[in-house]
Amino acid sequence: MAKKVLIIDDDFDLVEAMRITLEAAGYDVIDAQDGEKGLEKIKSESPDLIILDVMMSSMDEGFHVAYKIREDADIKDTPIVMLTAVGNQTGFQFDPGKDADFLPVDAFIEKPVNPKKLVDVVHQNIKV
Amino acid sequence: MLRRDKWLIRLRWYAILGLFSGVILLKFIELGPPSSLNAMAIAGFILVGLNLMYLTYASAQKQFGMSSLVILLNLQMVMDLFLLTVLIYLTGSAESPLSFFYVFHIILASIIFPGGFSYLYSLLVVILYSGLLLIEQSSMVEHICFFNDFHLMNDSRVTIGIWFIFVVTMMVSAYLAQNVTERHRRVRDKLQAANLKLQEINETKTTFFRYASHEMKAPIATIQSTLMVIEDILGTKADERVINMLNRAIGRTSETIGMLKDLADLTYGNFQEQQQFETLDLRSLLIGLVTDAKPNSDRKSQTLIFNSADIRFDYSGDVNALGKIFTNLISNAIRYTQESGNIQVSLEKVDLNYVVKVSDDGQGIPVSEQVNIFKEFYRTPTAKKMISEGTGLGLAIVMRMVELHGGDIQVDSQEGRGSTFTVQLPFEEDL
């Protein structure tokens, strides 16, 4: 059975671009347009990996969603790949190893999203 | 200057009023020889005439220009001092307490004229007063015994008169000093208000940059992501021209994203909350950056080396900003140096500065262009010829980040022989 990836992002075109790439790589893709709907879908759909955008309705909505996922015992082990343009916005470079304490995510991928990198990152981090 | 002229004229009216009141009072209390009092009144009328003339001239100043106004102001001051000397002579020369009034003429000169004019007027006062005493001593003019041969202190009118002149001198001096301070305060307040306004404008501009670059970058990033997916799916199936077109479109979106990123970087640090100063080892930071840049220099078979003493270089700085400074300088050196060229990054401590040099043996920058390279959007013709892409914002960003650290950046370059960019970062000893 194909692994399920949930994309939480409010940019429809970007979601579609990632959906096409991931479906071509053999994944099932579902999506949610904001953090609240995303949390609902994590519980109802139990995805194997979450791709989470940082900036949605607020500049740091993605961070809050990541914390909520890690605080909920039922879903806390779901891998999170954070989709960010923050690195480019502020010159702030995230390192999942170093910044794991304050940013509980497994990997980062920067916008614009390179399809090959996306597939690699998802492949490396998805629950086996 | 015109305002000062009008102020001086207004002050002179008060002085004239004081002079006539004094003459009337002296006549009333019968102090001083009548001939002296009459001469003082004549001096008063001369002053009225002169002041009317000055006033007329001040009203027509626009026709005569600034330099003639300065000459007129000097003439007024000299005439005032001359008439004051005459009044001192008429009231007993060395006995006259009117000599106190020289004091605020000197203060006036220092307010009205720039530079060392007040010293020149002090000299003039000394010459006039000494001259008066000398010509009296040499009997060229007759001494006027204003106080009737009395021992001064035996006549209470004289004591009160001297006391009064002293009080007037003190009050007028205080008024003048206060006036100067007040003007100074007003100018300072105006400058502070203007500065605040500029800061507000700058913050508005920064906010605009920040939001505009974010708002523009997000859709362009999506467009690029979409193009990359299309390119990925089409692969080799599509017409070569379509693939080339897609690649060009991806390239152009990358360039635009790069420019928006640079524009956002230019405003970095304008908001205090963005600045994150921390103690770091400058040497480790540079070693990391040089290591990161190595694959790029290797691709051009260039030698990229780092030199410094093997010690800690503790420095309080913003890691992101310092990263941008040296990444920019090193990547510029790699980009604009020919294959197999040499690039050297060095770090040393000179007095209370850390000095970082990024040198290359590349194309160099013509002297005529060196003044422009730190300007926003400027790219030298050589740079444009070598590499077509580039926003021309890199070195402007570097300069902004160096300034954020209170440092300085200089370039030393000779065309065809390479360039050295020297960044000086001041530090505090106790770190």
Side-chain angles (χ1 to χ4, degrees):
Chain A
M1 199 178 133
K3 298 278 183 189
K4 199 187 287 178
V5 176
L6 168 66
I7 302 172
I8 307 175
D9 195 334
D10 59 353
D11 185 335
F12 174 78
D13 288 321
L14 189 61
V15 171
E16 282 309 292
M18 288 190 282
R19 188 198 302 277
I20 292 167
T21 304
L22 291 173
E23 283 180 353
Y27 295 102
D28 274 349
V29 178
I30 49 173
D31 72 281
Q33 283 79 48
D34 59 44
E36 202 180 324
K37 287 182 189 133
L39 285 166
E40 283 168 17
K41 280 211 170 158
I42 297 168
K43 287 184 178 168
S44 62
E45 302 271 348
S46 303
D48 298 292
L49 182 137
I50 301 157
I51 295 174
L52 178 60
D53 189 19
V54 177
M55 294 187 206
M56 286 182 279
S57 58
S58 67
M59 290 284 276
D60 54 358
E61 189 181 347
F63 295 157
H64 297 296
V65 175
Y67 284 119
K68 280 186 182 158
I69 295 169
R70 292 295 183 243
E71 282 161 9
D72 190 324
D74 296 336
I75 56 175
K76 72 180 174 56
D77 295 326
T78 316
I80 303 172
V81 173
M82 189 157 261
L83 186 60
T84 175
V86 174
N88 287 337
Q89 292 290 317
T90 62
F92 205 61
Q93 296 299 325
F94 295 116
D95 177 346
K98 211 168 69 183
D99 302 321
D101 289 343
F102 85 97
L103 264 182
V105 299
D106 299 87
F108 292 93
I109 187 156
E110 274 196 1
K111 295 178 191 173
V113 181
N114 181 305
K116 287 189 180 64
K117 267 192 197 159
L118 176 68
V119 172
D120 283 351
V121 170
V122 169
H123 184 69
Q124 282 162 16
N125 290 279
I126 203 151
K127 269 197 299 191
V128 180
Chain B
M1 203 52 112
L2 185 62
R3 268 170 57 193
R4 290 180 193 181
D5 185 33
K6 287 184 173 165
W7 178 61
L8 191 62
I9 291 168
R10 204 167 57 241
L11 284 181
R12 198 174 289 107
W13 289 127
Y14 293 125
I16 290 165
L17 190 68
L19 175 61
F20 283 123
S21 310
V23 171
I24 291 166
L25 185 72
L26 289 169
K27 271 202 184 287
F28 186 70
I29 60 170
E30 295 176 350
L31 187 67
S35 57
S36 279
L37 296 182
N38 291 340
M40 283 167 75
I42 291 167
F45 284 116
I46 291 170
L47 206 51
V48 169
L50 285 171
N51 216 27
L52 282 172
M53 198 179 84
Y54 301 150
L55 190 66
T56 316
Y57 194 88
S59 310
Q61 189 270 335
K62 277 181 189 158
Q63 295 167 23
F64 296 95
M66 184 60 79
S67 55
S68 56
L69 184 65
V70 174
I71 294 169
L72 181 75
L73 272 167
N74 277 296
L75 195 71
Q76 288 181 47
M77 286 298 291
V78 172
M79 279 307 291
D80 287 346
L81 285 170
F82 181 74
L83 278 171
L84 177 61
T85 310
V86 170
L87 289 175
I88 292 168
Y89 166 68
L90 293 171
T91 48
S93 298
E95 300 159 27
S96 173
L98 289 184
S99 52
F100 285 138
F101 287 170
Y102 280 132
V103 174
F104 50 74
H105 280 83
I106 291 171
I107 300 177
L108 272 172
S110 66
I111 295 171
I112 292 169
F113 302 110
F117 266 76
S118 56
Y119 296 107
L120 282 177
Y121 276 102
S122 307
L123 191 67
L124 180 63
V125 164
V126 171
I127 291 169
L128 285 170
Y129 194 59
S130 315
L132 173 65
L133 299 183
L134 271 172
I135 57 171
E136 269 200 0
Q137 287 295 315
S138 61
S139 306
M140 284 167 75
V141 294
E142 196 182 337
H143 174 69
I144 296 170
C145 289
F146 198 78
F147 301 111
N148 297 334
D149 291 333
F150 273 90
H151 186 272
L152 290 179
M153 293 307 130
N154 288 342
D155 189 339
S156 60
R157 293 173 307 174
V158 174
T159 312
I160 292 168
I162 292 173
W163 172 83
F164 181 73
I165 299 289
F166 178 76
V167 169
V168 170
T169 307
M170 291 304 116
M171 300 303 278
V172 174
S173 302
Y175 162 74
L176 293 174
Q178 182 61 30
N179 189 284
V180 176
T181 319
E182 218 27 68
R183 274 163 196 244
H184 193 261
R185 214 187 334 264
R186 273 204 299 272
V187 171
R188 193 197 56 197
D189 288 351
K190 268 187 192 170
L191 284 175
Q192 272 177 349
N195 195 28
L196 208 66
K197 186 88 191 152
L198 283 174
Q199 274 176 8
E200 278 171 20
I201 292 169
N202 195 31
E203 280 190 14
T204 311
K205 186 191 80 180
T206 305
T207 310
F208 171 76
F209 263 28
R210 218 180 179 192
Y211 286 102
S213 78
H214 171 237
E215 290 305 311
M216 288 190 274
K217 223 182 95 180
I220 294 170
T222 299
I223 292 168
Q224 192 175 359
S225 306
T226 313
L227 291 173
M228 286 195 282
V229 171
I230 296 170
E231 189 197 28
D232 195 49
I233 289 169
L234 288 178
T236 51
K237 285 177 276 180
D239 186 321
E240 196 185 331
R241 285 174 307 171
V242 174
I243 298 292
N244 287 343
M245 195 169 66
L246 266 174
N247 280 330
R248 280 199 304 276
I250 291 168
R252 291 183 76 166
T253 50
S254 291
E255 259 180 59
T256 313
I257 290 169
M259 177 175 274
L260 291 170
K261 181 176 163 292
D262 283 353
L263 282 172
D265 279 351
L266 259 184
T267 61
Y268 184 85
N270 276 7
F271 290 98
Q272 218 149 30
E273 73 267 14
Q274 268 186 338
Q275 296 172 25
Q276 295 166 334
F277 277 69
E278 58 186 275
T279 305
L280 52 97
D281 176 20
L282 207 52
R283 182 171 179 269
S284 306
L285 181 95
L286 286 167
I287 289 173
L289 296 174
V290 169
T291 310
D292 290 347
K294 203 95 174 109
N296 294 331
S297 61
D298 287 347
R299 264 195 288 278
K300 291 180 80 175
S301 310
Q302 293 164 333
T303 312
L304 170 62
I305 52 165
F306 175 71
N307 276 326
S308 89
D310 190 8
I311 49 164
R312 276 185 70 84
F313 287 77
D314 283 331
Y315 178 66
S316 172
D318 181 316
V319 180
N320 296 318
L322 291 169
K324 283 181 199 300
I325 294 171
F326 300 114
T327 304
N328 253 304
L329 293 178
I330 296 168
S331 68
N332 273 355
I334 295 171
R335 289 174 84 192
Y336 299 111
T337 299
Q338 69 287 355
E339 296 213 350
S340 310
N342 296 295
I343 296 146
Q344 184 179 319
V345 181
S346 69
L347 166 66
E348 60 179 336
K349 187 178 153 190
V350 179
D351 300 325
L352 287 177
N353 285 292
Y354 287 134
V355 179
V356 183
K357 289 186 179 176
V358 180
S359 313
D360 64 61
D361 56 1
Q363 293 294 317
I365 306 156
V367 179
S368 60
E369 285 168 18
Q370 288 176 16
V371 284
N372 296 318
I373 56 170
F374 293 103
K375 288 181 186 163
E376 286 146 19
F377 299 106
Y378 184 82
R379 294 188 73 213
T380 65
T382 322
K384 277 185 199 162
K385 214 158 66 183
M386 281 182 79
I387 296 165
S388 59
E389 319 89 62
T391 57
L393 286 170
L395 286 176
I397 292 167
V398 167
M399 180 157 243
R400 166 90 191 107
M401 305 283 173
V402 171
E403 282 170 356
L404 204 67
H405 288 81
D408 182 42
I409 180 163
Q410 280 174 349
V411 61
D412 178 20
S413 182
Q414 272 185 301
E415 207 173 351
R417 299 185 66 176
S419 310
T420 298
F421 284 86
T422 306
V423 177
Q424 292 200 40
L425 298 168
F427 63 90
E428 286 173 26
E429 190 122 58
D430 58 348
L431 239 168

